[in-house]
Amino acid sequence: MPSLPSSSCLVSVLPEMSEELTELYRRGTPANTLRAWERDLVYIRAWKQLTFGTDMTWPEEERVALRFLLDHSTALHDPAHPAQGVALALIGLGLRRSLACPAPATLDRRIASWRSFHRMRNLASPFDAPAVSAARSKARRAADRPRKPKSAKPVTREVLETLLATCDYTARGIRDRAMLMLAFASGGRRRSEVTALDIEDVGADDYKTKGVIWLRLLETKTTTRALAPRLPLKGRAANALLDWLKVRPAGPGPLFRPVSTADRVLARRLAPDALRVILRHRLTQAGLPVDYASPHGLRAGFLTQAALDGVPLAAAMKLSLHSSAVQAQRYYADVEVEMNPATELLG
């Protein structure tokens, strides 16, 4: 198989404008989306080279889109299946995990990326063709499966208190306590949002008079820099963050930083996945399985706890920044069903 092409150029227009437009798309797209696009582009190119022996074309042919859809809408364990060899090669390249049917969400994301690549070139996507679109609808229904939560369990207040009890007063303990409490109390922040915070995003001017620290989120999954939300942090969470600011070296830059084995705060930014590592460490310290919850459990836990405490959904969404009430309502629905008095009709 030939080497995979570079994904540096996503725009195909007049040569004198391609570089500028590529840079414009990069600056105007969230970093997480860019990383997903690059991974999907590598995967799609490898799949087409292995399947058809050619590189991607623009616009792509409908038969290629339909073949991609069919090959990713069924399990490929049968050696007689013509797509098994390609799947095994993708597994060998580290681009596919198994011969099982990919999750519908994974296929949806890759198709969405492919469509985006066409839009960048002002071209029609083959996935919008009637035959391909209809096949996609049937494939989604055929591969439908129960929704799998992003975290095994929600990190509710009780679980969070257990984790916080493992945080001592070393620099690492103070940082971990501040990160966990900030992630939960500010609305269930995503791990990338927590590690992306800079000291300039923290406003403590109102703390002495109102007991409030303001957090500015420059970019989230559902907002942009132009509409950067400001979220309040109060009570113990605000105090924990102030404790960290006393330990963190003064100066601009990342709010949360790595701590060395000698308990010295380093200058660089934490990795985007740092909250997962910290959470797993605290779960282990608390005597819980490392897979008890993921960072998304803090987000799920915030909404679950809000439901348990009777907080109106709209109020919780003001902090969680969910763009869809339907998505946020799922956490409330589980609590409401459990507490429904109709479940006790037989005593």
Side-chain angles (χ1 to χ4, degrees), residues 36-37 40 44 108-118:
W37 277 354
D40 291 340
I44 294 166
D108 282 343
R109 194 201 68 235
R110 285 176 176 154
I111 290 175
S113 296
W114 210 340
R115 279 174 166 159
S116 296
F117 302 152
H118 280 80

Side-chain angles (χ1 to χ4, degrees), residues 126-140:
F127 290 99
D128 295 328
V132 182
S133 180
R136 177 67 195 113
S137 178
K138 297 297 183 184
R140 188 182 293 109

